[in-house]
Amino acid sequence: GYENFHSQYPELCTEVKTIDQSGTETDKRVNSEKLSHHKPDYDQGKPVEILPFLYLGSAYHASRQDYLSDLHITALLNVSRRDLQPANGHYDYKWIPVEDSHMADISSHFQEAIEFIG
């Protein structure tokens, strides 16, 4: 059901539901660890280098401090329906709200994205 889908694709869920934490303390700890270290099946590897200064990645990649540090990433451009600004303020950050749909008009946001990247 929802819990299984949410565990595999949390960024595709539009509402937050609490996961049943009944059970033993071990069960609660394991469930908590699964949620905090979750890597979706389609997020294999690290961000992809497009240009020497530009990488394409996912929300998962942007949440990984080690990836960002290893790749010397200093700015994050989030093009999605949710603002997932990084917790620490060490990055230039811009959010462009766009629905993840083939019907979304992303071209209307190109200039804004180019100005941030450039």
Side-chain angles (χ1 to χ4, degrees):
Y2 176 83
E3 287 79 14
N4 185 38
F5 183 84
H6 183 268
S7 72
Q8 292 182 27
Y9 310 102
E11 67 282 358
L12 299 178
C13 297
T14 58
E15 59 184 74
V16 177
K17 281 194 170 183
T18 57
I19 293 177
D20 182 18
Q21 289 290 321
S22 61
T24 67
E25 287 303 314
T26 302
D27 290 341
K28 290 179 187 177
R29 182 177 44 78
V30 168
N31 284 338
S32 175
E33 288 173 4
K34 282 181 184 176
L35 290 175
S36 63
H37 293 83
H38 174 70
K39 181 177 181 180
D41 292 338
Y42 56 82
D43 262 333
Q44 301 303 316
K46 292 187 177 182
V48 176
E49 186 174 21
I50 297 173
L51 296 171
F53 63 92
L54 185 64
Y55 292 86
L56 175 63
S58 66
Y60 172 77
H61 295 134
S63 72
R64 291 290 305 264
Q65 198 66 39
D66 56 336
Y67 288 1
L68 302 175
S69 178
D70 289 350
L71 297 171
H72 306 288
I73 292 173
T74 60
L76 299 169
L77 175 60
N78 174 4
V79 182
S80 70
R81 69 174 173 222
R82 290 193 296 175
D83 186 4
L84 301 171
Q85 188 164 356
N88 69 32
H90 294 45
Y91 301 97
D92 289 333
Y93 177 82
K94 179 155 191 70
W95 173 47
I96 299 176
V98 175
E99 190 66 32
D100 189 6
S101 163
H102 69 282
M103 301 295 290
D105 177 20
I106 65 169
S107 65
S108 66
H109 301 283
F110 286 174
Q111 189 60 43
E112 184 179 3
I114 290 166
E115 288 171 7
F116 178 75
I117 294 168

